[in-house]
């Protein structure tokens, strides 16, 4: 490691190196850390190169405490943004390329220093050309369940009409894999998974296959589906494919109530069915809760437009969006109050719907007090005139809040 003298040119040198890496297609990853901007929830920005319609871009992920926001910008525009953020919004920057790492740090007085690390860039930080190349897949097309469910043909090739579903499956497993890495679940423990609204079983089979065959984990995975024909179809496939520990039951989140689970999944449960699903996960002390809400009917009729917001919320579309945001924000906050680290982010749309929001909650290893958070929830409800939220009602009935 070598360090150059602290000179005003260190920042310029770093930006020049970043520009060179972008032009030469050698950039692996850029990380902006030590935030000092006005947004206290922003933790860091992670940027990776990609190509959109042949144009070189940077994909910037703004990592907040409870959500991630992604922006794809042309390289020149992204370089200008980074220059604007240093050092006003971030005091550290890490540039990874094929030769190693370059770190830019600013002192409390704003003096920059450049450090060069000769070690190779992290193995997992492979240049990602995004939209113009195949991304990392957590499952392979050779898995038998994909052929049985009609995702691949008899030769193991992806059926073109199922390409979107294939991407959805892998994105789902990617989100789950990252959550599992931080969840308080012992490595040798059997994972009990409940997937409510499992449908044809694409994600249920993928979850079971990934746990058993990729991670070599013991797993008992249950798909819950209201349509009896889908239950029979999936159970028959599980039998043919020899998926021990995978079963499907007819019912919904109110009729099938497990005693204990480690992972609770409910994608596109309509209206308050999402609240019942989250409540089931909390009551069962699930380590991971994955929900993709659908419909937001309970809160909207209660919503009272605060005076300042009345001109904006007089439009039905905006009122509906506000009700959706409020409903899911309260869900995330209730999860936080029950001891979960929670994120709300955009997820790839599943088939037959344009809903793509996911609420991901991972149980904290150490509990924290929730008094201040409950007070904030009460203030938020009062601001909008909300008298009842289904999840709160369920949690208070079980004395979980």
């Amino acid at each position: 490691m070598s360090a150059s003298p602290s000179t005003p040119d260190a920042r310029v040198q770093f930006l020049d190196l970043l520009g060179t890496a972008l032009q030469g297609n050698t950039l692996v990853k850029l990380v902006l850390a030590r935030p000092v901007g006005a947004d206290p929830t922003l933790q860091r920005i992670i940027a990776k190169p990609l190509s959109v319609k042949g144009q070189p871009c940077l994909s910037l992920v703004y990592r907040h405490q409870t959500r991630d926001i992604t922006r794809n910008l042309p390289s020149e525009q992204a370089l200008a943004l980074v220059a604007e953020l240093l050092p006003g919004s971030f005091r550290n920057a890490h540039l990874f390329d094929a030769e190693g790492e370059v770190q830019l740090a600013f002192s409390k007085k704003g003096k920059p220093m450049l450090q060069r690390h000769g070690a190779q860039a992290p193995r997992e930080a492979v240049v990602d050309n995004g939209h113009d190349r195949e991304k990392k897949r957590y499952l392979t097309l050779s898995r038998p369940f994909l052929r049985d469910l009609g995702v691949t043909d008899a030769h193991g090739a992806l059926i073109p009409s199922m390409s979107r579903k294939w991407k959805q499956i892998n994105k789902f497993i990617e989100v789950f894999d990252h959550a599992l890495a931080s969840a308080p679940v012992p490595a040798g423990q059997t994972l009990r998974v409940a997937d409510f609204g499992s449908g044809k079983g694409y994600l249920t089979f993928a979850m079971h296959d990934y746990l058993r065959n990729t991670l070599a984990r013991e797993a008992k995975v249950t798909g819950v589906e209201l349509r009896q024909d889908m239950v029979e179809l999936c159970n028959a496939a599980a039998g043919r494919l020899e998926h021990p520990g995978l079963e499907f039951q007819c019912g919904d989140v109110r009729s099938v109530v497990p005693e204990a689970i480690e992972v609770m999944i409910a994608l596109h449960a309509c209206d308050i069915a999402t609240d019942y699903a989250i409540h089931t996960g909390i009551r069962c002390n699930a380590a991971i809760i994955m929900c993709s809400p659908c419909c937001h009917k309970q809160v909207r009729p209660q919503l009272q437009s605060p005076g300042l917001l009345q001109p904006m919320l007089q439009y039905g579309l905006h009122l509906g969006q506000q009700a959706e945001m409020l409903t899911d924000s309260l869900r995330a906050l209730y999860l936080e109050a029950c001891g979960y680290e929670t994120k709300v982010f955009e997820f790839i749309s599943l088939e037959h719907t344009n809903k793509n929001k996911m609420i991901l909650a991972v149980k904290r290893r150490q509990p924290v007090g929730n008094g201040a958070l409950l007070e904030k929830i009460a203030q938020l409800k009062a601001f909008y005139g909300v008298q009842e939220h289904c999840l709160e009602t369920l949690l208070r009935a079980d004395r979980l809040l």
Side-chain angles (χ1 to χ4, degrees), residues 91 106-111:
R91 294 297 176 88
F106 292 88
S107 69
K108 292 183 179 179
K109 295 183 179 180
K111 292 184 177 181

Side-chain angles (χ1 to χ4, degrees), residues 41-274:
T41 71
L42 182 59
Q43 298 175 332
R44 67 183 66 88
I45 295 177
I46 302 172
K48 294 183 180 181
L50 79 163
S51 178
V52 179
K53 297 181 179 179
Q55 181 182 19
C57 295
L58 265 187
S59 179
L60 298 99
V61 178
Y62 288 66
R63 183 67 50 82
H64 292 260
Q65 292 176 358
T66 59
R67 71 190 191 282
D68 291 344
I69 299 174
T70 300
R71 296 178 62 191
N72 295 332
L73 298 177
S75 296
E76 292 184 3
Q77 187 176 343
L79 182 60
L81 175 62
V82 172
E84 180 181 335
L85 294 174
L86 294 173
S89 298
F90 293 90
R91 294 297 176 88
N92 273 8
H94 304 261
L95 186 158
F96 297 91
D97 62 13
E99 297 180 1
E101 176 189 0
V102 178
Q103 177 183 354
L104 175 67
F106 292 88
S107 69
K108 292 183 179 179
K109 295 183 179 180
K111 292 184 177 181
M113 174 175 285
L114 214 58
Q115 292 183 328
R116 302 175 185 272
H117 305 268
Q120 292 297 312
R123 289 178 57 192
E124 68 273 15
V126 179
V127 174
D128 180 7
N129 288 326
H131 300 273
D132 292 346
R133 62 175 288 185
E134 184 73 4
K135 296 183 179 181
K136 176 183 177 181
R137 299 302 182 196
Y138 285 78
L139 297 170
T140 64
L141 286 170
S142 61
R143 302 309 304 154
F145 80 90
L146 293 169
R147 181 174 64 253
D148 199 280
L149 296 180
V151 178
T152 59
D153 61 21
H155 303 288
L158 178 64
I159 296 174
S161 62
M162 298 300 291
S163 60
R164 183 181 174 202
K165 176 61 66 180
W166 172 234
K167 293 177 182 178
Q168 294 161 2
I169 292 170
N170 273 278
K171 182 63 177 180
F172 174 80
I173 296 299
E174 177 187 352
V175 172
F176 168 72
D177 182 75
H178 291 165
L180 183 60
S182 59
V185 180
Q189 180 178 337
T190 299
L191 281 176
R192 294 162 292 185
V193 181
D195 180 8
F196 292 99
S198 54
K200 195 175 179 181
Y202 296 109
L203 300 183
T204 324
F205 272 92
M207 172 73 80
H208 184 267
D209 187 272
Y210 185 69
L211 288 171
R212 299 275 304 204
N213 298 310
T214 301
L215 300 184
R217 293 286 298 261
E218 288 295 321
K220 294 182 179 179
V221 181
T222 302
V224 181
E225 170 60 40
L226 273 172
R227 294 169 292 178
Q228 182 64 42
D229 59 334
M230 289 290 100
V231 173
E232 294 173 357
L233 182 148
C234 291
N235 276 326
R240 285 193 305 271
L241 298 167
E242 298 183 356
H243 273 247
L246 174 62
E247 67 171 356
F248 293 81
Q249 298 181 20
C250 188
D252 61 13
V253 71
R254 302 191 199 192
S255 61
V256 178
V257 184
E259 287 297 322
I261 49 177
E262 282 69 51
V263 183
M264 196 290 300
I265 303 164
L267 302 189
H268 302 142
C270 188
D271 196 26
I272 61 173
T274 293

